Every structure is written in C-alpha cells, then in structure tokens.
C-alpha cells in the first residue's frame, strides 16, 4: 500500500466518522425500528452469498443499493449509513484473504455512499419533488457516483492507472445506476405493497436470474480457456506461429478500440481472433512445420483451416453466431480470397479486421523464406494491398496506430 492510498483511506475514514456524527446530530438516532435489523440482516446475507464478491466487483455494489432503496424510504440517513456499513461486511474475509485496509475501505465507502444518498433523498423530497420515485433516482445517482468514484480513485492511487478508462467508468456508472434503481423500485413496491415475505421472495428471484447470468459467463470463460489450450497445441506444432493467435487477438483489440465498435461486438471479435486458426489442428503436421514455400497441393490443404475451424465449433450454441468471423478471415476485399470469394462489405467486419491483424503479425514476425518487415515496409505493404486484400478504411486505421507508435512492440527483435 503506497502513501497516497494510506492517505486516501485515512481521509475516507475521517469523512465517514464526521458523516455519522453529523447525522446523529441532525436526525433522531433513537427512532429504533425492527426494519433496521431486517435490512441489516438481509444485506449481510446477500453480501456473503455472492460468489463474485471481491474488491473491485460491481456485483456486490449493485445488489446493495436495491436493498437500501426501500430502507431509505422508511429510515433516516443515520440508520441507512449504519446499515450499509455493517450490512455489506464480508464475513468470509479471512477465508478470502482480504487485507484489513480493503475491508475498511469497503465498509466506509458503502457507509458514505448510502448515507449521502439517503440525505439527497431527504433533501429532494423536501425541496425538489415530493415524489418518492424521483427522489430515489437522485439518491441512486449519488450512491453510485460516490461508490464507483471511490473504487476508481483507489485503483488510480494504487498505481494501476493503465487499467482505468474514462469510458469504462461512465459505462459502469450508467449501467449500475439504471439496473440498481430499477431493482430497487421493484423491491420498494414489493416491501410496501406486499410485505417482508414477498420482498425476500423477489430477492431470491433476482439471485436465481443473476446466478444464471453469471454461470453463462463462467461457461464462456471456461470455454475460452479450453480453446486457448488447443492453440498451445498448434503453437507447439508450428514454431513460426508460436503466440500468433494471442498477438492477433491483441492487435484486434487495438483496432476495435480505434474504430469504436460496441463493447459486446468487440468482445466477440477479439475472442474469435484469439482462436481464428483453431482449424489448423486438422492440417497435416508436415505442412504446418514446413520451412519452405508450400506447393500448390499443400497450400490448398492449408487454406482449408478456416473451414475446418468453422466446422469444428459450429455445433456450440454460444459461438455459432460469431463463427462467420473465423470462416471468412482469409477473404480478400476484392473477392480473391477464400473459402467463398465474397468481397467488400459482404465480408463480416470482424473478418476484415482479423485479416489485417493476421497479416500484420505475419509481416512483422517473418518466415524462414521471408524476412520480417520494419515499420516503413509494413506501412508500404498495407498501402499497396489496400482495396485488394484489405479493407482500405481499416488499413487507414491500422496505419494510424502504427504511426502513433501503438504497435511499436511488434517491430522489435522479430527477425527470425
Ligand atoms: Fe488463418
Ligand atoms: Fe492466422
């Protein structure tokens, strides 16, 4: 823990204590209700049920606010602060090896965020709108700006600056606010209209659907790991392509970020890039290992790898929408590629991106029969093939990345 983080934690703890003192003066702390225990225990159970509870997880964050939303309408900000502070405690702290300062950071963060959100709710009810729904919205915004803002501040101060993107911060914020606000309203109406039992039933329902969603992500992660293991097999069969798919995945990520496509599409394209040559598993070892230029016959066999890859994975439901990207990753913009000879925008965007990233790796790595190209030669080669093999618009983007130095690492020590 560096000095900045220590200072941040100290300031955060002081703010928390000052907030509790101020609230205890402003509000009636003796207005004890059974709801205080009910919400604290509910939150405690939920915080500790989560399988994905960790320091940076927004999962625990997003389930806390929905429970606190109905609580805000019944209890004063002092009690909301205390409920959030106590109720979000991870009792499995020892088992998960969470250091004490992260534990303290989390407690104070939830306390401050919930306390200030409850104050905003009260102020909004009195001065902006007597409407509970509108005031709860302002409270939700306050909660997440403080909550996510503090998490990002601590990551920033920990020196992990490169992991923070302003866009990701905003996306996280907007997503968290809307999902939690909506769930919070559902819980609010469940509690006020149908009582505690119905409220708990709705929480169980939220958990079932959430676990369903996360188990899908887990399956996908496991699947990607299996595929990556397959690729290690290909790498070991063919030393010239060692690390090729991984590098192509990285280049694809850079190009996707540059052209600003939507996050879920981007993720699919990058995943496909990482496994784009999976079909080489079926290509004869002799051909893969060959140090010489391939004969026509051998080249014909090698060309089949994009279809092999498609065939291999097409029965997997969660992938079959994206496999077109693999199938067409050797199509040419002018229609002279394979396997189908489609051209221009008929070729899926992912395949066009993959094609330039794939070629970029081949050019900058070199082969036994061809020296690796330097920066200027690579740019020249891409310009020469723009509109023939490559989508000219994407070539412009790649050349800009090269000129900005974002791909400089690829030009170092690559002359095999
Ligand atoms: Fe390929
Ligand atoms: Fe490739």
């Amino acid at each position: 823990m560096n000095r900045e983080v220590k200072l941040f934690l100290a300031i955060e703890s002081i703010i928390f204590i000052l907030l509790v003192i101020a609230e205890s003066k402003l509000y009636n702390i003796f207005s004890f209700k059974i709801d205080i225990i009910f919400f604290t225990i509910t939150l405690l159970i939920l915080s500790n049920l989560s399988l994905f509870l960790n320091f940076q997880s927004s999962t625990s964050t997003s389930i806390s606010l929905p429970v606190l939303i109905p609580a805000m309408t019944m209890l004063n900000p002092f009690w909301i602060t205390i409920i959030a502070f106590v109720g979000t405690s991870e009792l499995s702290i020892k088992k998960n090896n969470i250091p004490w300062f992260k534990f303290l950071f989390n407690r104070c963060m939830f306390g401050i965020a919930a306390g200030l959100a409850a104050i905003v709710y009260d102020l909004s009810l009195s001065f902006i709108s007597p409407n509970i729904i509108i005031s709860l919205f302002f409270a939700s915004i306050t909660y997440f700006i403080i909550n996510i803002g503090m998490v990002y501040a601590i990551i920033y101060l920990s020196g992990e600056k490169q992991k923070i993107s302003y866009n990701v911060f905003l996306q996280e914020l907007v997503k968290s606010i809307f999902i939690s606000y909506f769930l919070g309203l559902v819980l609010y109406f469940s509690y006020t209209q149908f009582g505690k039992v119905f409220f708990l039933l709705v929480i169980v329902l939220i958990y079932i659907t959430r676990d369903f969603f996360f188990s899908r992500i887990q399956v996908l992660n496991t699947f990607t790991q299996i595929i990556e293991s397959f690729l290690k097999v290909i790498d070991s069969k063919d030393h010239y392509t060692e690390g090729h798919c991984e590098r192509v995945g990285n280049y694809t990520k850079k190009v996707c970020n540059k052209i600003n496509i939507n996050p879920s599409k981007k993720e699919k394209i990058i995943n496909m890039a990482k496994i784009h040559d999976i079909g080489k598993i079926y290509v004869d070892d002799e051909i893969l290992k060959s140090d010489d230029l391939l004969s026509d016959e051998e080249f014909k066999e090698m060309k089949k790898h994009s279809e092999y890859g498609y065939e291999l994975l097409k029965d997997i439901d969660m992938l079959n929408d994206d496999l077109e990207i693999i199938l067409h990753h050797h199509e040419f913009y002018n229609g002279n590629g394979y396997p189908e000879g489609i051209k221009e925008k008929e070729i899926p965007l992912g395949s066009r991106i993959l094609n330039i990233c794939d070629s970029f790796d081949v050019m900058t790595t070199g082969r036994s029969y061809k020296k690796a190209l330097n920066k200027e030669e690579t740019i020249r080669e891409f310009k020469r093939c723009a509109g023939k093999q490559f989508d000219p618009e994407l070539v412009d983007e790649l050349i800009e990345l090269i000129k900005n130095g974002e791909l400089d690492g690829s030009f170092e020590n690559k002359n095999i």
Side-chain angles (χ1 to χ4, degrees):
M1 186 167 46
N2 63 31
R3 205 191 311 152
E4 284 89 354
V5 175
K6 278 184 194 161
L7 189 69
F8 184 81
L9 281 179
I11 294 172
E12 191 204 38
S13 312
I14 293 168
I15 291 174
F16 177 76
I17 293 165
L18 291 177
L19 178 69
V20 172
I21 294 172
E23 285 172 341
S24 66
K25 302 260 183 257
L26 288 167
Y27 300 97
N28 179 11
I29 62 171
F30 300 107
S31 59
F32 187 81
K33 290 181 183 170
I34 193 75
D35 295 315
I36 294 170
I37 294 181
F38 176 77
F39 284 115
T40 308
I41 292 177
T42 308
L43 209 51
L44 257 180
I45 294 172
L46 291 178
S47 300
N48 289 284
L49 267 185
S50 171
L51 287 170
F52 298 91
L53 203 70
N54 61 45
F55 182 49
Q56 289 169 31
S57 167
S58 59
T59 317
S60 56
T61 320
S62 48
I63 197 68
S64 308
L65 183 68
V67 175
L68 287 166
I69 280 181
M72 275 182 215
T73 64
M74 291 166 220
L75 301 164
N76 69 40
F78 172 81
W79 284 113
I80 295 298
T81 310
I82 302 297
I83 291 172
F85 183 84
V86 178
T88 55
S89 301
E90 295 122 44
L91 303 175
S92 52
I93 172 171
K94 278 221 170 87
K95 205 176 93 196
N96 290 342
N97 254 339
I98 300 172
W100 66 269
F101 61 88
K102 283 188 179 177
F103 183 79
L104 178 71
F105 168 79
N106 271 335
R107 301 289 65 69
C108 291
M109 179 185 71
F110 283 119
I112 295 170
L116 290 179
I119 292 174
V120 166
Y121 171 76
D122 267 17
L123 291 175
S124 167
L125 268 188
S126 317
F127 300 109
I128 300 175
S129 162
N131 188 312
I132 289 175
I133 312 289
I134 293 173
S135 298
L136 282 175
F137 185 63
F138 291 134
S140 304
I141 294 176
T142 310
Y143 181 88
F144 278 110
I145 287 179
I146 296 169
N147 199 318
I148 298 177
M150 282 172 116
V151 170
Y152 275 78
I154 202 100
I155 299 172
Y156 186 82
L157 292 174
S158 310
E160 297 182 48
K161 295 175 193 175
Q162 72 281 8
K163 289 190 183 166
I164 305 175
S165 128
Y166 187 63
N167 266 345
V168 172
F169 171 76
L170 277 182
Q171 276 169 20
E172 179 94 340
L173 188 69
V174 172
K175 196 178 76 188
S176 301
I177 289 173
F178 281 98
I179 294 175
S180 294
Y181 173 66
F182 175 73
L183 291 178
L185 287 186
V186 171
L187 289 178
Y188 165 72
F189 285 113
S190 314
Y191 194 100
T192 51
Q193 304 298 314
F194 303 103
K196 290 186 177 66
V197 175
F198 194 80
F199 172 85
L200 292 174
L201 281 175
V202 174
I203 288 182
V204 171
L205 191 70
I206 291 172
Y207 257 79
I208 292 170
T209 47
R210 201 193 69 147
D211 280 350
F212 171 74
F213 173 70
F214 276 108
S215 63
R216 269 184 73 82
I217 290 181
Q218 267 193 323
V219 170
L220 194 62
N221 282 344
T222 314
F223 183 78
T224 312
Q225 284 160 6
I226 293 170
I227 296 295
E228 284 174 0
S229 304
F230 267 118
L231 289 171
K232 282 184 189 146
V233 177
I234 304 173
D235 280 353
S236 66
K237 281 171 84 177
D238 174 11
H239 76 275
Y240 282 119
T241 60
E242 201 176 331
H244 166 72
C245 286
E246 202 185 328
R247 290 193 298 272
V248 173
N250 291 336
Y251 303 145
T252 304
K253 190 174 181 181
K254 291 198 172 167
V255 173
C256 286
N257 286 340
K258 178 94 176 41
I259 61 174
N260 233 341
I261 41 182
N262 83 55
S264 74
K265 198 168 177 185
K266 180 172 94 179
E267 199 171 323
K268 285 175 181 173
I269 297 174
I270 296 168
N271 279 336
M272 289 305 110
K274 282 187 197 164
I275 60 172
H276 72 276
D277 280 335
I278 186 79
K280 284 188 180 171
I281 282 180
Y282 291 124
V283 176
D284 199 335
D285 265 15
E286 297 301 309
I287 300 177
L288 280 181
K289 280 181 180 166
S290 171
D291 274 349
D292 308 317
L293 266 178
L294 298 177
S295 68
D296 284 354
E297 216 30 58
E298 287 170 332
F299 191 53
K300 217 169 145 191
E301 176 62 18
M302 182 66 127
K303 277 162 79 172
K304 287 188 186 155
H305 77 274
S306 41
E307 283 166 287
Y308 288 153
Y310 179 85
E311 287 298 320
L312 177 69
L313 303 174
K314 76 172 196 298
D315 294 329
I316 299 168
D317 285 352
M318 73 173 76
L319 286 183
N320 55 19
D321 283 350
D322 315 324
L323 289 180
E324 296 277 307
I325 298 175
I326 291 186
L327 179 66
H328 296 297
H329 80 271
H330 285 290
E331 301 286 1
F332 279 19
Y333 196 72
N334 62 7
N336 287 344
Y338 60 87
E340 291 178 4
I342 52 173
K343 60 179 183 177
E344 297 175 13
K345 309 284 168 183
E346 288 167 12
I347 309 167
L349 173 67
S351 310
R352 279 178 276 140
I353 296 174
L354 191 43
N355 190 280
I356 63 163
C357 295
D358 192 26
S359 305
F360 177 79
D361 188 59
V362 174
M363 288 180 207
T364 55
T365 323
R367 292 289 181 269
S368 59
Y369 48 87
K370 206 173 182 188
K371 248 187 85 201
L373 305 186
N374 65 27
K375 219 172 184 177
E376 289 67 36
E377 290 165 338
T378 306
I379 293 176
R380 219 175 303 134
E381 185 63 9
F382 269 105
K383 280 186 178 163
R384 191 181 68 79
C385 299
K388 296 172 192 150
Q389 178 175 349
F390 309 121
D391 179 338
E393 287 167 30
L394 292 174
V395 165
D396 290 343
E397 304 287 352
L398 183 84
I399 289 177
E400 234 175 274
L401 283 175
I402 299 173
K403 285 185 174 167
N404 293 343
E406 290 186 52
L407 298 166
D408 275 1
S410 322
F411 295 101
E412 292 156 12
N413 311 319
K414 289 284 168 59
N415 284 309
I416 304 173

